[in-house]
Amino acid sequence: MKRIKEQTYYDLLEVPRGASIEEIRKAYRREKEIFSSDSVAAYSLLDPAELEKINAAIDEAYRVLTDERLRPEYDRKLDGGGERVFSGEAVGPPPAGESYPLREGLMGIPFPDEFRFTGSSLRGIRESIGFDLKQISQKTKISRQNLEWLEEESFENLPALVYIRGFIMEYAKALNLDPHRVADSYLESFHRWQQSRKH
Amino acid sequence: MVLFSEGQGEGSAGGRRRKSVWAIGGGKGGSGKTFIAVNLGICLSRFGEEVILIDTDLGGANIHTFLGLSFPHRTLSDFINKRVGAIRDVVVETDIPNLGLVVGAQDLLNAANPKEPQKWKLIRHINSLDVDYIILDLGAGNSFNVLDFFLISENEILVVTPEPTCIENTYRFIKSAFFRKVKRVVSHYGVKEIIDMAMDQRNERGIKTPFDIIELAGEIDKSIGLKLEQELESFRPKLIVNQVRTKGDVELGFSMRSAFLKYFGISMDYLGYIVYDNDVWQSVQKRRPLVLEFPQSRASKCINEITLKLIIDKPFLFNSTR
């Protein structure tokens, strides 16, 4: 939580420390647009005096960060002063002209430890990415019927455990998920099913 | 078989699963809160999670209509008016596996305006439900009832459409929620007075932002100032932009996040957007949830994506540089 006066120039422009001049220019244009007097995003939150103050701060940030002499000085001051600097995580929208592609997989976005990869959760992930079973079948060379059974956890119809593990790992790879974690989690259901058959 | 059971009561967490409460709010009527609550609930249930949707729109309940159900014989009114003893008694099953529903009150009197103790009893009972997810569909406006349901949630989700009036209402809602949140944790009369004053935009002391309140409270008592600062840091609403037609509409979420960051000093999570899609209109007309009726529609994919982001609790940042 930082007040405007406590925000670094990088915070103000919402760019990481190592941002290039081009990134800074784009960020500046974006911020100026957001805090323009006719911006729908800002006008009802900030009054004209506050808008003016923010615009002045954004101008100042831009001036320093695009100046090849002032920026290294400012960086040294940040490093030396022990001030909190922007983590570089929260960056604004993509530059103008670029689209917002839906991710084609989830690798890199950690699932919580307690997340269970069951047949239904895998189906949910598949659908959210926009794949149908035909596409997964083409990618994995697993028949559509077997994929359906995997999602339904219809273990009585599926082949032996070793095959199920192979299938599920291929399926996970097709969704860009960690195949080992998915297989371990998914097979817990299989083992429960196996146990229940013994009783 | 009891599909949706209640826990062992307040404070008895033993044996209960970890539950997450999501509230869908935003101030303005017609922004799509109920539509989103229903479809998020269905997406979650398809992940194999047990979900209960609760229509907390006391007085204007209509969530059952989005699910194509007729008005059930058990509703929240029965609980509020003590005709049943536990909230699980008013959970009705839907034809969607793992999804239960509590239909809101439609009474114009008692149930629509529950007294404080009734409301807190309701909140305690909601928290004691033993399911994976509870989704609260909030009513419009900034009444204390709406704000309190919003504030008990782990995921405080705001729905905004790209219209100036809706954006304005959303900010008003956020500010009201923050003021309500901090007012609940302080007992000092002078600080409460400052918070009340801040609600009036043209207050004589020029209090505008949350920082102004924190500073003034800190002057009265440093420990209260610090406490309010912690409250502000823990306040992290999430945003969905609904009915997106243009790239500019998509960017509204980022712009609001940026304005919010400068105003509150904290980040709001932009969960994503839902495209304007004729299929949405058709599904509402048919009284069939979009994600079931038109699973391949663009809007369905947006909702699925948002559900996933919420489940993994890492709203990704649409960041082209990552």
Side-chain angles (χ1 to χ4, degrees):
Chain A
M1 186 192 77
K2 289 198 224 174
R3 294 160 175 80
I4 283 279
K5 59 187 176 198
E6 293 165 354
Q7 293 187 13
T8 68
Y9 294 148
Y10 295 100
D11 291 336
L12 284 164
L13 295 180
E14 296 185 46
V15 291
R17 272 289 288 274
S20 67
I21 294 292
E22 192 46 40
E23 283 170 327
I24 290 169
R25 282 203 184 105
K26 280 176 182 161
Y28 174 71
R29 282 200 295 271
R30 182 189 68 227
E31 293 297 312
K32 290 298 279 184
E33 205 173 305
I34 293 171
F35 295 101
S36 68
S37 56
D38 58 353
S39 155
V40 287
Y43 90 96
S44 59
L45 189 64
L46 302 151
D47 67 23
E50 287 167 328
L51 273 180
E52 199 180 318
K53 207 160 75 181
I54 288 174
N55 272 294
I58 292 168
D59 289 340
E60 170 76 10
Y62 177 69
R63 193 177 64 79
V64 172
L65 297 187
T66 51
D67 186 303
E68 55 186 33
R69 188 178 55 81
L70 293 178
R71 184 174 176 182
E73 265 178 38
Y74 179 72
D75 284 345
R76 274 195 296 277
K77 209 170 111 190
L78 282 183
D79 293 336
E83 281 183 57
R84 237 185 83 195
V85 291
F86 195 60
S87 63
E89 284 172 4
V91 187
E98 288 188 20
S99 60
Y100 298 84
L102 290 178
R103 295 178 69 96
E104 289 189 353
L106 295 161
M107 193 68 97
I109 303 180
F111 282 86
D113 290 343
E114 64 273 21
F115 189 87
R116 292 159 288 170
F117 289 96
T118 60
S120 55
S121 69
L122 287 169
R123 185 178 60 232
I125 294 169
R126 171 178 65 74
E127 287 174 348
S128 76
I129 299 167
F131 282 142
D132 57 27
L133 281 178
K134 194 176 159 194
Q135 288 166 304
I136 299 289
S137 176
Q138 281 166 351
K139 271 189 158 195
T140 58
K141 314 289 180 221
I142 302 169
S143 76
R144 198 171 155 163
Q145 180 64 75
N146 276 330
L147 288 170
E148 268 174 31
W149 285 332
L150 282 175
E151 288 187 349
E152 289 164 8
E153 296 186 4
S154 184
F155 299 121
E156 61 278 10
N157 291 316
L158 285 164
L161 173 63
V162 62
Y163 293 103
I164 299 179
R165 188 172 181 89
F167 284 170
I168 209 73
M169 286 181 71
E170 283 307 310
Y171 187 178
K173 279 188 220 164
L175 298 179
N176 215 5
L177 298 167
D178 176 350
H180 294 285
R181 184 177 164 194
V182 172
D184 290 347
S185 175
Y186 181 89
L187 290 175
E188 283 173 19
S189 305
F190 175 83
H191 294 308
R192 270 197 302 276
W193 170 78
Q194 224 177 16
Q195 284 297 322
S196 69
R197 287 181 79 200
K198 285 180 188 162
H199 296 300
Chain B
M1 183 188 77
V2 178
L3 181 58
F4 300 104
S5 62
E6 225 153 333
Q8 294 152 14
E10 244 182 315
S12 60
R16 276 201 264 164
R17 65 188 110 180
R18 188 183 171 276
K19 167 177 63 217
S20 185
V21 182
W22 300 359
I24 319 291
K28 190 156 187 311
S31 57
K33 293 186 285 294
T34 305
F35 160 75
I36 289 172
V38 166
N39 285 286
L40 279 182
I42 295 169
C43 289
L44 273 175
S45 69
R46 290 197 306 194
F47 276 88
E49 306 286 355
E50 270 190 2
V51 184
I52 292 184
L53 272 170
I54 303 181
D55 191 343
T56 66
D57 191 352
L58 304 175
N62 59 8
I63 205 165
H64 55 285
T65 310
F66 277 82
L67 283 159
L69 301 172
S70 51
F71 194 70
H73 63 280
R74 290 167 294 162
T75 74
L76 216 45
S77 298
D78 297 306
F79 176 74
I80 292 170
N81 292 323
K82 297 182 183 171
R83 286 190 285 270
V84 296
I87 197 164
R88 68 163 177 268
D89 297 331
V90 294
V91 177
V92 290
E93 289 181 27
T94 66
D95 52 5
I96 298 158
N98 298 321
L99 185 72
L101 175 69
V102 173
V103 171
Q106 281 199 328
D107 310 23
L108 293 175
L109 294 169
N110 289 349
N113 300 293
K115 295 191 176 83
E116 280 289 294
Q118 285 176 313
K119 179 178 65 193
W120 288 106
K121 182 183 160 199
L122 174 58
I123 287 173
R124 278 198 309 276
H125 276 250
I126 287 174
N127 276 326
S128 70
L129 280 166
D130 189 22
V131 286
D132 298 307
Y133 290 90
I134 294 170
I135 298 185
L136 307 177
D137 175 31
L138 306 187
N142 304 340
S143 71
F144 287 163
N145 283 343
V146 173
L147 296 176
D148 286 337
F149 285 119
F150 186 70
L151 291 170
I152 61 156
S153 307
E154 187 181 322
N155 278 324
E156 300 159 331
I157 301 166
L158 297 157
V159 179
V160 65
T161 54
E163 298 152 17
T165 46
C166 193
I167 295 163
E168 201 169 337
N169 280 11
T170 304
Y171 285 137
R172 197 173 300 138
F173 185 89
I174 298 175
K175 278 198 243 181
S176 305
F178 175 70
F179 294 147
R180 178 77 177 159
K181 182 178 167 80
V182 294
K183 205 175 163 188
R184 274 180 14 198
V185 298
V186 292
S187 50
H188 191 288
Y189 178 74
V191 178
K192 276 182 182 286
E193 211 175 44
I194 289 169
I195 298 166
D196 284 338
M197 205 181 281
M199 305 285 272
D200 173 10
Q201 290 221 330
R202 294 181 183 167
N203 65 79
E204 58 196 40
R205 295 185 69 175
I207 307 166
K208 286 175 186 163
T209 70
F211 294 124
D212 296 335
I213 297 178
I214 291 169
E215 261 173 30
L216 287 170
E219 282 169 21
I220 293 171
D221 183 331
K222 208 174 169 186
S223 66
I224 299 178
L226 286 172
K227 197 172 181 181
L228 296 193
E229 209 158 305
Q230 284 167 358
E231 288 297 316
L232 181 56
E233 275 177 10
S234 67
F235 187 52
R236 202 180 168 102
K238 297 174 167 57
L239 186 71
I240 295 173
V241 182
N242 190 24
Q243 296 177 19
V244 161
R245 288 179 171 90
T246 65
K247 187 167 175 290
D249 292 345
V250 173
E251 283 175 0
L252 173 69
F254 296 110
S255 304
M256 286 182 73
R257 193 182 72 181
S258 191
F260 186 81
L261 180 70
K262 304 285 193 289
Y263 182 84
F264 275 90
I266 51 174
S267 283
M268 171 162 65
D269 293 326
Y270 181 22
L271 288 172
Y273 58 88
I274 299 169
V275 293
Y276 182 87
D277 190 334
N278 201 40
D279 289 341
V280 173
W281 179 83
Q282 284 204 36
S283 72
V284 175
Q285 290 298 313
K286 287 182 168 179
R287 299 201 297 143
R288 284 273 300 158
L290 177 83
V291 293
L292 297 182
E293 189 67 13
F294 301 108
Q296 291 303 317
S297 66
R298 291 170 66 217
S300 282
K301 285 179 182 165
C302 293
I303 293 168
N304 267 313
E305 179 100 351
I306 287 169
T307 311
L308 263 180
K309 280 181 220 164
L310 282 163
I311 288 182
I312 60 180
D313 205 21
K314 296 269 178 203
F316 67 75
L317 300 163
F318 294 91
N319 176 5
S320 61
T321 62
R322 288 175 75 188

